[in-house]
Amino acid sequence: MTRRAARHLLGMLIAAVGLVAGLPAPAAAAPSGEVTIGLAAEPNTFDPHLTVGRNTQIFIVNVYDGLTARDAKGNLVPALATSWKRLNPTTWQFTLRKGVKFHNGDDFNADSVKFTLDRAIDPETKATIISELSTITRTEIVDPYTVNVITKSPDFLLPVRLGELFGLMLSPKHTKAAGKQTIATKPNGTGPFKLVAWTKNERMVLEANEQYWRGAPKVKRIVVRPILEDAARIAALQAGEVDMIAPVPHVRIADLKRNEKLVIKTIPAPRIFHVTIDVRKPPFDNVKVRQALNYAVDVNAILKSLYFGYGTRLATVVDKGALGYDPGVQPYPYDPKKARALLAEAGFPNGFETEFDSFTGSIADHSKPAEAIVGYLEKVGLKIKQNVFEFSAFGPRRVQNRTAPLFIYSIGNAYLEPSWVIRWLTQGGLGMHYKNARLDQMLTRIEATDDPQKRAPLYSEVQKLIKDEAPFIFLFQADAVFGMSTRIDYSPRPDETQWLYPLGLKG
């Protein structure tokens, strides 16, 4: 081993020991340089309890930390909590990291956790993320760096819930003094960056937190510009006005890859596209009809024509990166003849009339795949009235259960856990009305199993049941696409989070 390699190994060992012991990481090189990023949307708020939409939730973690986090491969790892364990079915105990400070110098400790979680579940807060934390009944301080979180019923996902999307920690002193309106635009987290300027709809400026407990970020200053139009965002990258953009439309990948000044990176995102079927209403209460719809749609052709192959065909609503994904459960093949036969067996040899909802203006394009799906369904005899809404109009219709019998949607599997997605998709509201007692029993058994290695194989039977029941037209997960200049060193994460801490400059 060379002397340089030995020093590198020693440094890694020191860092690892520091993380295990809950100590701050050794000082890193001082951050330097500036990077400008063009995004399709900016956060609606930096109040972690009042976020609306995934675009906000996947970004504000750059200013805050959760008790847990994800690593580059999507594994759950310690963050502001160094460890956690279940004391009994409804009590999780978290041991907190010492020596962490908020941007204004306030200490992070058990008071911070209790204040944050109490605030999140307080009806007065009107937290928009309450559905993700509603299992919590109270938080008890054991000592300054140990807390117990008590849930109404066993919640095996609590450590994940208290991660980077829904478990971002606040300073009690600062939050009480500043108030809701102030922290919405002037946040005070423990995260790797401080928000130092924000002109809404124009630009925000993040500055490196050089005292960050993981070590200082590599880049000193990040400027974020919201650029809504795809063409304008790409033009800004090509002109060198911005260093990185997301998302990049799949149709532009090949063209941009030919530009030697740019790098295009793709990664499978856990966003599951599907068509929800209202199983309460005839003829969709007939499983043969639902299976016919799955045989009728050539999903592989849609992936090829609209996503240029940058996506993965799914057999169910379990994405390929999720725990327990079973590749042995194969998707319905495209077989319009089989679809017509099933419709005839169900009593609809000439098809039937129905409506199909889609929308524009959300985190991903849903209108173009919807148009293609409607085309395939019409080929097997369905007569469809297609409704296209702006997402701002479609969302309230969904909340009021006023959706058409068929509507396209996508859900990001924020927990990388099938149980969470399936529970969400079978909640009995928001236009999703499929229920199955056997499925509930299977999920309950899985949720009582803390060990992921033991949970994983139990999901195979779940996937087989869902495929056979066909409460959805199963579609695909599309790759997330990032465009960046060659001077940028950045690898996107597989969970949609725009985590900028590892971002660096080459050379």
Side-chain angles (χ1 to χ4, degrees):
M1 180 182 292
T2 65
R3 184 174 299 176
R4 181 178 179 184
R7 283 201 303 269
H8 178 67
L9 178 59
L10 179 60
M12 291 178 66
L13 287 171
I14 291 171
V17 170
L19 282 173
V20 169
L23 298 173
S32 62
E34 178 173 306
V35 170
T36 300
I37 299 174
L39 298 177
E42 65 178 0
N44 67 298
T45 179
F46 276 83
D47 185 331
H49 296 152
L50 298 178
T51 57
V52 177
R54 192 58 54 83
N55 277 325
T56 295
Q57 293 157 357
I58 61 177
F59 186 83
I60 67 171
V61 67
N62 292 296
V63 173
Y64 295 98
D65 285 304
L67 296 186
T68 62
R70 296 282 185 188
D71 66 13
K73 294 183 179 178
N75 300 308
L76 193 70
V77 295
L80 292 181
T82 56
S83 65
W84 51 91
K85 60 184 176 183
R86 182 132 64 167
L87 299 182
N88 60 52
T90 57
T91 304
W92 282 92
Q93 184 169 89
F94 294 84
T95 301
L96 306 180
R97 190 174 298 279
K98 297 176 181 176
V100 177
K101 289 190 178 292
F102 288 92
H103 295 160
N104 71 343
D106 289 351
D107 290 326
F108 166 77
N109 52 33
D111 288 334
S112 313
V113 179
K114 178 171 173 51
F115 170 80
T116 300
L117 298 185
D118 285 353
R119 181 180 189 265
I121 64 174
D122 184 348
E124 290 293 317
T125 304
K126 298 180 181 177
T128 53
I129 61 166
I130 187 60
S131 63
E132 304 300 334
L133 301 177
S134 60
T135 59
I136 297 173
T137 58
R138 66 186 186 279
T139 302
E140 297 175 348
I141 294 175
V142 178
D143 64 44
Y145 291 97
T146 308
V147 295
N148 290 343
V149 181
I150 294 91
T151 58
K152 297 171 187 169
S153 55
D155 184 357
F156 79 113
L157 284 176
L158 190 70
V160 190
R161 297 184 194 282
L162 299 184
E164 296 165 307
L165 293 182
F166 310 115
L168 302 178
M169 291 292 127
L170 294 165
S171 159
K173 184 179 173 183
H174 177 268
T175 306
K176 289 176 185 173
K180 269 186 185 180
Q181 290 188 341
T182 297
I183 68 167
T185 56
K186 296 178 180 176
N188 175 41
T190 61
F193 293 97
K194 304 173 184 178
L195 178 64
V196 296
W198 186 10
T199 305
K200 286 201 172 187
N201 301 318
E202 290 187 20
R203 68 199 293 264
M204 64 170 59
V205 181
L206 302 175
E207 194 168 280
N209 172 12
E210 300 194 25
Q211 306 305 315
Y212 188 45
W213 59 270
R214 283 185 169 105
K218 300 170 187 171
V219 175
K220 175 74 173 176
R221 186 179 164 96
I222 295 177
V223 178
V224 179
R225 287 177 51 194
I227 308 176
L228 276 57
E229 295 294 331
D230 291 341
R233 205 163 51 250
I234 291 171
L237 178 67
Q238 291 172 315
E241 297 171 6
V242 300
D243 301 295
M244 187 168 80
I245 62 170
V248 174
H250 297 79
V251 67
R252 297 298 306 273
I253 292 176
D255 173 36
L256 294 174
K257 277 190 169 181
R258 287 192 287 271
N259 187 331
E260 60 183 18
K261 296 180 179 179
L262 302 178
V263 175
I264 306 300
K265 292 189 177 182
T266 63
I267 188 166
R271 178 158 294 279
I272 302 153
F273 285 77
H274 56 280
V275 174
T276 299
I277 303 172
D278 191 340
V279 300
R280 303 170 305 170
K281 298 178 180 175
F284 303 108
D285 55 346
N286 188 324
V287 68
K288 290 184 179 180
V289 170
R290 303 196 299 266
Q291 291 174 341
L293 303 188
N294 274 280
Y295 281 112
V297 179
D298 190 347
V299 179
N300 286 327
I302 293 173
L303 274 173
K304 185 176 181 180
S305 61
L306 294 182
Y307 298 89
F308 301 86
Y310 292 99
T312 303
R313 173 79 163 103
L314 295 177
T316 68
V317 288
V318 176
D319 66 278
K320 196 173 181 179
L323 182 75
Y325 170 78
D326 186 350
V329 180
Q330 290 291 304
Y332 283 92
Y334 175 53
D335 190 341
K337 186 176 178 182
K338 177 78 171 176
R340 290 191 194 92
L342 283 169
L343 287 173
E345 288 178 30
F348 302 97
N350 299 314
F352 53 84
E353 295 184 4
T354 191
E355 293 191 34
F356 190 118
D357 286 350
S358 68
F359 51 87
T360 59
S362 75
I363 191 171
D365 181 14
H366 293 78
S367 61
K368 290 188 181 66
E371 189 175 334
I373 291 164
V374 167
Y376 282 114
L377 295 179
E378 288 179 337
K379 286 181 181 177
V380 297
L382 273 66
K383 300 171 184 64
I384 296 178
K385 179 188 176 190
Q386 186 176 358
N387 310 308
V388 183
F389 301 94
E390 281 292 323
F391 188 68
S392 58
F394 178 74
R397 291 178 65 86
R398 196 168 63 94
V399 170
Q400 297 161 13
N401 290 310
R402 293 170 53 213
T403 50
L406 301 174
F407 69 88
I408 191 170
Y409 206 73
S410 68
I411 174 71
N413 183 4
Y415 292 83
L416 304 180
E417 181 81 32
S419 171
W420 180 80
V421 169
I422 296 166
R423 291 287 193 196
W424 194 86
L425 290 171
T426 59
Q427 60 184 275
L430 301 178
M432 297 171 284
H433 303 289
Y434 175 73
K435 285 288 184 186
N436 183 302
R438 184 170 164 238
L439 176 62
D440 282 341
Q441 291 172 357
M442 294 163 80
L443 293 176
T444 299
R445 180 185 170 203
I446 289 171
E447 291 161 357
T449 308
D450 284 349
D451 185 348
Q453 299 307 314
K454 293 180 180 176
R455 282 204 305 276
L458 301 177
Y459 279 120
S460 287
E461 290 304 313
V462 169
Q463 290 165 77
K464 291 172 187 172
L465 182 149
I466 292 176
K467 180 191 170 186
D468 291 344
E469 283 282 283
F472 310 94
I473 300 176
F474 306 114
L475 298 176
F476 52 82
Q477 60 183 116
D479 290 358
V481 188
F482 293 73
M484 58 195 82
S485 79
T486 52
R487 81 184 191 107
I488 296 297
D489 180 11
Y490 183 67
S491 296
R493 262 178 35 177
D495 63 349
E496 293 190 317
T497 301
Q498 293 165 345
W499 175 237
L500 301 176
Y501 175 65
L503 177 69
L505 292 169
K506 294 179 180 176

